[in-house]
């Protein structure tokens, strides 16, 4: 069955693939953060567009107690790290950095200090 994309409603509650980094995508990430803080699992794939090259692909797998966030830069022609980086963390938050950005930050991650806030993804407010 084919779906006419122009008639499709962006249901932020069930969408598991994020690629616009717009308001609907931020709401979906917020739902994942809320679910995590309530001890519930969730899964997301985030396709972060590159400025002049290929995207970074984020696979986010949460069981409600721990988040595995994998960033794959292998498609980004300008990235110095062509491999995958995996973060295994106990906390996630949405943080308003300044008047231009809202960041997704991880903390209490393996191989990092407990108080390190790792900025993993940013939303530009002008797109919201």
């Amino acid at each position: 069955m084919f779906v006419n994309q122009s008639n499709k409603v962006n249901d932020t509650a069930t969408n598991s693939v994020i690629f616009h980094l717009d308001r609907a995508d931020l709401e979906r990430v917020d739902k994942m953060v809320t679910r995590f803080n309530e001890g519930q699992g969730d899964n997301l794939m985030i396709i972060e567009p590159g400025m002049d090259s290929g995207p970074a692909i984020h696979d986010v797998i949460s069981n409600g107690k721990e988040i595995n966030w994998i960033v794959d830069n292998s498609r980004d022609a300008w990235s110095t790290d062509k491999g995958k980086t995996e973060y295994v963390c106990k906390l996630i938050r949405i943080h308003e950095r300044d008047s231009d950005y809202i960041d997704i930050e991880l903390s209490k991650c393996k191989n990092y200090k407990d108080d390190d806030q790792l900025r993993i993804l940013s939303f530009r407010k002008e797109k919201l």
Side-chain angles (χ1 to χ4, degrees):
M1 176 179 182
F2 293 99
V3 176
N4 182 348
Q5 292 296 324
S6 63
N7 293 330
K8 187 176 178 186
V9 175
N10 186 5
D11 182 1
T12 60
T14 59
N15 190 10
S16 293
V17 179
I18 290 175
F19 55 91
H20 294 293
L21 297 182
D22 58 7
R23 178 170 299 283
D25 288 350
L26 180 58
E27 288 173 3
R28 179 59 179 96
V29 172
D30 183 57
K31 182 168 181 63
M32 186 264 304
V33 171
T34 299
R35 288 177 54 84
F36 180 79
N37 290 331
E38 293 171 350
Q40 300 174 25
D42 206 345
N43 297 313
L44 292 176
M45 174 185 277
I46 302 168
I47 303 171
E48 182 182 14
M51 293 297 266
D52 296 328
S53 58
I57 310 295
H58 300 244
D59 288 309
V60 184
I61 303 153
S62 163
N63 63 11
K65 296 178 183 166
E66 191 170 76
I67 296 173
N68 290 350
W69 194 299
I70 301 165
V71 181
D72 179 356
N73 288 311
S74 64
R75 292 169 184 86
D76 185 347
W78 297 105
S79 175
T80 56
D81 177 14
K82 295 294 184 189
K84 294 180 182 181
T85 304
E86 183 174 2
Y87 303 92
V88 180
C89 307
K90 302 276 186 199
L91 292 176
I92 185 170
R93 74 177 184 158
I94 296 176
H95 175 71
E96 191 168 341
R97 179 185 351 159
D98 55 29
S99 61
D100 296 322
Y101 293 97
I102 296 174
D103 298 322
I104 311 305
E105 295 179 340
L106 300 173
S107 58
K108 295 198 176 188
C109 301
K110 289 183 182 174
N111 302 319
Y112 292 89
K113 295 178 185 175
D114 277 354
D115 60 348
D116 284 348
Q117 295 291 328
L118 306 177
R119 183 180 305 144
I120 197 80
L121 184 68
S122 296
F123 286 82
R124 294 180 60 129
K125 287 185 179 179
E126 69 184 24
K127 288 188 74 173
L128 306 177

